[in-house]
Amino acid sequence: MSRNIFSSVLDAVERGAFPRTQKWAWRGLYSILSRFWRDDDWRFMNYGFVAEGAPFPLKPEDEDERVFIGLYHQALEGLPVAGARVLEIGSGRGGGSRYIARYYEPGSVIGLDYSPRRCAWRGG
């Protein structure tokens, strides 16, 4: 019986019945992942985006991250980013900021995130 109550509470949190609890839970999970997951190749924490039609050009070394980069590509397509100062709020592990810096030639890119450990620049 307690398992059913627990499952019901988790379902309610996921549906957004308790917005503060949901925010607290996701923020906690995010902080734990940011602190303990040490894979330096893990750059993105978004769901990604796959556009219909012809794929946008990417360097061969970025192909494995195409789905995640696709979210940034569709958000920035057609915007005058070259030479601009870019601020990414919720930059996660920096994959999106890295993509913007490598493909859009901004004047500068700053990434802000909940987890200060994820905001340290590693270059590349």
Side-chain angles (χ1 to χ4, degrees):
M1 176 129 167
S2 63
R3 180 171 167 83
N4 291 336
I5 293 170
F6 182 71
S7 295
S8 297
V9 170
L10 286 178
D11 288 342
V13 168
E14 183 60 30
R15 284 191 319 271
F18 307 106
R20 286 187 177 175
T21 303
Q22 185 180 33
K23 182 178 179 181
W24 174 83
W26 281 118
R27 188 172 187 176
L29 177 61
Y30 179 82
S31 293
I32 289 168
L33 287 173
S34 295
R35 178 170 287 178
F36 296 109
W37 195 309
R38 300 286 184 201
D39 185 351
D40 287 338
D41 289 335
W42 179 36
R43 295 186 189 95
F44 292 90
M45 294 181 77
N46 66 40
Y47 291 111
F49 180 80
V50 177
E52 294 182 13
F56 56 93
L58 278 179
K59 297 174 184 175
E61 62 268 25
D62 294 328
E63 281 296 332
D64 288 345
E65 298 172 326
R66 175 174 287 282
V67 171
F68 310 111
I69 288 171
L71 186 65
Y72 288 87
H73 177 77
Q74 68 89 24
L76 293 169
E77 190 172 28
L79 295 178
V81 178
R85 296 185 307 171
V86 175
L87 172 63
E88 181 184 12
I89 310 270
S91 61
R93 297 180 64 95
S97 293
R98 178 179 182 261
Y99 168 71
I100 293 166
R102 291 179 68 199
Y103 286 83
Y104 287 88
E105 301 176 356
S108 65
V109 179
I110 295 174
L112 296 177
D113 197 74
Y114 280 137
S115 175
R117 290 175 170 244
R118 292 299 102 210
C119 292
W121 175 255
R122 294 180 205 193

